[in-house]
């Protein structure tokens, strides 16, 4: 989707990823009987995998932080991180190409009751 938006919006588009080094996530499980076709469960995050953007943040000891990856694209010769968390697993993607920036939190949590 980001590639299409980038083509349509040009430099006005900024792809911001959000991730966490530790904590919990709301893992989705397919369930045809559930109203939206899935249920959610509180799932503890494993330590960041080597090669992930989360591992890079953890190694840097940043805590709450943001990385401007546009600048890193021109400075990084090794290609950078090759994955980012998606719930409790990882999506393999060239992170420097997929995002313009990544915001990280030291720990994430799951909201129990979100009344809208």
């Amino acid at each position: 989707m980001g590639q299409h938006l980038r083509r349509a919006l040009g430099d006005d588009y900024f792809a911001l990823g959000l991730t966490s080094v530790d904590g919990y996530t709301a893992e989705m499980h397919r369930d045809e009987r559930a109203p939206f076709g899935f249920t959610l469960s509180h799932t503890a995050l494993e330590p960041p995998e080597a090669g992930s953007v989360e591992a890079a943040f953890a190694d840097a000891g940043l805590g709450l932080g943001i990385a401007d990856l546009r600048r890193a694209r021109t400075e990084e010769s090794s290609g950078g991180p090759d994955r980012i968390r998606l719930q409790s697993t990882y999506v393999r993607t060239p992170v420097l190409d997929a995002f313009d920036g990544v915001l990280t939190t030291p720990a994430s949590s799951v909201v129990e009751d979100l009344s809208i």
Side-chain angles (χ1 to χ4, degrees):
M1 178 57 82
Q3 292 174 351
H4 299 292
L5 289 169
R6 167 73 66 205
R7 278 189 224 114
L9 300 174
D11 290 339
D12 289 336
Y13 179 71
F14 186 88
L16 180 65
L18 173 64
T19 192
S20 183
V21 172
D22 196 10
Y24 293 85
T25 189
E27 187 63 64
M28 295 171 60
H29 302 280
R30 287 189 310 203
D31 183 347
E32 294 175 5
R33 296 164 296 182
F36 295 104
F38 63 88
T39 58
L40 299 173
S41 66
H42 238 148
T43 303
L45 294 173
E46 297 289 329
E49 286 185 3
S52 69
V53 70
E54 294 81 9
F57 277 117
D59 291 348
L62 294 179
L64 178 63
I66 189 165
D68 183 347
L69 302 183
R70 296 169 299 179
R71 189 170 132 198
R73 280 187 207 119
T74 60
E75 297 174 359
E76 183 67 44
S77 60
S78 67
D82 65 358
R83 68 198 83 169
I84 188 168
R85 281 194 210 265
L86 177 62
Q87 295 163 318
S88 66
T89 189
Y90 286 86
V91 173
R92 290 191 178 271
T93 188
V95 175
L96 295 182
D97 294 332
F99 299 96
D100 295 311
V102 176
L103 173 69
T104 186
T105 63
S108 62
S109 60
V110 178
V111 174
E112 289 294 327
D113 181 24
L114 186 60
S115 299
I116 297 176

